[in-house]
Amino acid sequence: MADEAGAPPVDWERVAAWIERYFEQPGAYRVMPSVRPGDVAAVLPKDAPERGESFEAILADFERIIVPATTHWNHPRFFAYFATSAAPAAIAAEALAATLDVKAMLWRTSPAATELEAVTMRWLGRLLGLPPSWTGIIYDTASVAGFTALAAAREALGLQIRERGMTGRALPVLRIYVTEQTHSHVEKAAIALGVGQYNVVRVPCDDRFRMQPDALADSIERDLAAGIRPLAVVATVGTTSTTSVDPVRAIAEVTRKHGVWLHVDAAYAGIAAIVPEFANLLDGVDLADSLVVNPHKWMFVPMDLSALYLKDESTVRRAFSLVPEYLTTSETGAINYMDYGLQLGRRFRALKLWFVLRHLGAEGIRQKLRGHVALAQEFASWVEAQPDWEVLAPHPLSVVCFRYAPAGHDESDLEALNARLMQAVNESGEIFISHTKIDGRYALRLAIGNIRTTRADVEHAWHVLKREAAPETSLRGH
Ligand SMILES: *Cc1c(COP(=O)(O)O)cnc(C)c1O
């Protein structure tokens, strides 16, 4: 097909074949590339070309320069952070969405994108067991969805911040309540919303890293007595370090008593609620005001697609709707998604969610999630069976925090040893893991969530860990 701008033709078939081959040999690459900062930029020209180049030349450089310097998140031996992956049907949907290239801001600029978003959000909400009256809206990430929910919570305080701002007048101190385990995006939202980092209050956790509702109640009551306005509480279902689950129902009793907005961050673990055995993860969520889950994290939808569910969507509209003359429309009863956030033009994200849900089916997704949890439990049992290794936190889902802990080392030795071990493991290129700190202890973290990960991949991870740990023990020389 000749290109409109007179550029040489695009070889669609080669692209399709390349994608197909990539997934046929998922283990053909190093998971983490062996490149240093600056390596990629150094081999690229200083300026963009004046004349169009052949598509073949561009694709050849993609294979030669880009692919070998990529960290392969779609690799079945990627176990770092939260392991995510893209289902093939969703990749096809991304290409089709880019082809249509709609800006889904007004219903009239994108009727199908708008209505498919509403429908897929209802489908997902039903699978998660959310109240049918809640409204789902798609954002790029949980961080932005969380910011949006907290902006709505700020608006709901009735302090006219939208109109009058927060400076030059007497306003109470506003506070957001979280725990040490809460994801850092909440603090970023506090920065952007003018709340300030000091007013992100860390409520103590119990010994399983869960927010203590009594401590939350104390904190809020003390602040209220001092004239401080609680803006919101953020509870987490599946924290980033250990996947601990805050007691949402008990927390909701506190927030309801004081009329405080409750946002539930279930970015990773919330998806598991579509599996009946894990439906109780979202127990009490019906008492919250907003909830976020990330289909781009554990539902095989490629980056990015985050779903924000709201008990009352009008709160977000009140915070963000602003319609200039050139965007006024005449349709009644139509959703205009530009009313729900900072973004005006929006990608047609719902298409890939629709493709995934239809291609895998809810049961296909459930089966994968069950498999991931089972593999993580098996991995934890292997670690526990070895005297020199230990599991460092409860592992209710598909993430295991652990470390190599041979006898005769103090904490700082163990930290250095496990940091070296992680580096050696990752430099092998065979697997990729990450780390965290749990109660000050350095922990390795193995996350399972890739649609292509099998038991053999997890066995290999364990093999690589033990292999790279062996020299550490002999180094001790006694
Ligand atoms: C991953 C994660 C986030 C951030 O998700 P993004 O979509 O990358 O912004 C927030 N909260 C929790 C609990 C997470 O696991």
Side-chain angles (χ1 to χ4, degrees):
M1 193 200 332
D3 188 274
E4 291 76 1
V10 166
D11 188 345
W12 298 103
E13 278 169 22
R14 252 191 82 183
V15 174
W18 193 90
I19 295 171
E20 209 172 357
R21 211 171 49 248
Y22 182 75
F23 287 120
E24 270 167 11
Q25 40 169 356
Y29 301 92
R30 293 173 56 89
V31 190
M32 206 176 73
S34 63
V35 287
R36 327 211 104 263
D39 281 358
V40 176
V43 298
L44 294 169
K46 198 156 104 286
D47 290 301
E50 284 297 328
R51 279 179 226 290
E53 300 176 50
S54 77
F55 187 73
E56 187 138 296
I58 304 168
L59 204 57
D61 281 348
F62 169 75
E63 293 186 337
R64 186 174 63 89
I65 301 168
I66 304 301
V67 177
T70 294
T71 300
H72 289 279
W73 286 71
N74 269 324
H75 197 297
R77 293 178 177 177
F78 184 110
F79 299 108
Y81 312 107
F82 282 110
T84 63
S85 56
I91 295 167
E94 282 286 60
L96 297 171
T99 305
L100 300 177
D101 195 26
V102 298
K103 316 297 176 282
M105 54 210 195
L106 298 169
W107 179 86
R108 68 163 58 174
T109 65
S110 49
T114 299
E115 295 190 19
L116 191 65
E117 177 161 341
V119 169
T120 52
M121 285 296 92
R122 272 199 294 278
W123 283 7
L124 180 61
R126 287 166 67 88
L127 289 171
L128 294 168
L130 299 178
S133 59
W134 284 31
T135 306
I137 303 169
I138 297 176
Y139 294 85
D140 54 358
T141 59
S143 303
V144 168
F147 162 80
T148 306
L150 292 169
R154 194 184 68 170
E155 195 50 33
L157 296 174
L159 297 172
Q160 286 195 294
I161 291 171
R162 173 183 167 128
E163 296 81 8
R164 300 176 59 204
M166 296 174 81
T167 55
R169 65 193 180 110
L171 283 180
V173 167
L174 308 179
R175 282 199 172 151
I176 300 173
Y177 303 82
V178 302
T179 75
E180 280 301 332
Q181 304 295 322
T182 304
H183 191 271
S184 52
H185 79 275
V186 175
E187 198 168 323
K188 279 201 185 177
I191 296 169
L193 290 167
V195 169
Q197 287 172 281
Y198 294 168
N199 293 309
V200 179
V201 177
R202 312 274 166 186
V203 176
C205 288
D206 65 13
D207 60 356
R208 295 169 73 90
F209 315 108
R210 300 173 299 196
M211 185 187 284
Q212 294 187 14
D214 292 347
L216 172 68
D218 287 349
S219 203
I220 288 180
E221 280 157 24
R222 247 195 335 265
D223 283 351
L224 283 170
I228 290 167
R229 282 292 292 273
L231 185 154
V233 174
V234 179
T236 308
V237 170
T239 56
T240 313
S241 272
T242 72
T243 75
S244 59
V245 177
D246 287 336
V248 174
R249 183 172 292 281
I251 291 168
E253 278 165 22
V254 178
T255 56
R256 289 198 133 195
K257 180 170 166 205
H258 297 291
V260 178
W261 186 289
L262 174 57
H263 176 64
V264 178
D265 178 5
Y268 148 74
I271 295 294
I274 75 169
V275 181
E277 304 92 282
F278 302 119
N280 61 355
L281 281 169
L282 296 186
D283 177 55
V285 156
D286 51 314
L287 304 173
D289 297 278
S290 54
L291 163 95
V292 69
V293 294
N294 269 359
H296 74 220
K297 209 166 239 172
W298 203 9
M299 224 177 92
F300 320 122
V301 173
M303 187 75 185
D304 47 11
L305 197 161
S306 182
L308 176 66
Y309 284 90
L310 294 148
K311 172 176 283 168
D312 176 4
E313 48 79 38
S314 74
T315 52
V316 174
R317 248 185 308 122
R318 273 207 305 283
F320 286 109
S321 179
L322 189 70
V323 186
E325 177 56 33
Y326 46 85
L327 292 172
T328 54
T329 54
S330 49
E331 292 90 21
T332 48
I335 302 170
N336 298 312
Y337 279 115
M338 69 169 197
D339 290 338
Y340 293 88
L342 286 177
Q343 225 177 327
L344 176 62
R346 304 163 81 249
R347 271 154 43 68
F348 189 174
R349 293 196 180 89
L351 195 68
K352 57 187 168 182
L353 180 57
W354 191 50
F355 271 46
V356 166
L357 286 169
R358 293 188 60 185
H359 197 237
L360 297 178
E363 201 42 43
I365 296 168
R366 285 188 196 106
Q367 211 183 326
K368 284 289 172 194
L369 301 188
R370 276 193 192 103
H372 292 158
V373 176
L375 284 175
Q377 301 313 310
E378 209 178 347
F379 177 81
S381 74
W382 299 338
V383 173
E384 266 160 357
Q386 292 287 326
D388 282 353
W389 294 76
E390 62 182 349
V391 169
L392 289 177
H395 41 86
L397 295 162
S398 69
V399 173
V400 183
C401 293
F402 63 102
R403 67 177 174 179
Y404 183 48
H409 292 267
D410 65 17
E411 279 301 323
S412 81
D413 276 357
L414 286 178
E415 171 160 349
L417 189 162
N418 279 277
R420 279 197 306 272
L421 173 57
M422 181 172 80
Q423 191 176 347
V425 158
N426 290 342
E427 278 178 359
S428 78
E430 295 171 59
I431 66 168
F432 184 28
I433 60 170
S434 58
H435 80 283
T436 188
K437 274 209 173 161
I438 300 172
D439 280 343
R441 293 187 296 178
Y442 191 95
L444 303 176
R445 207 173 148 286
L446 184 110
I448 298 171
N450 185 305
I451 194 168
R452 297 169 191 87
T453 296
T454 64
R455 188 170 186 278
D457 296 315
V458 181
E459 276 176 337
H460 190 70
W462 185 219
H463 163 77
V464 172
L465 279 158
K466 285 189 297 188
R467 184 189 73 206
E468 299 299 331
E472 289 290 346
T473 319
S474 50
L475 268 183
R476 271 194 298 157
H478 52 79

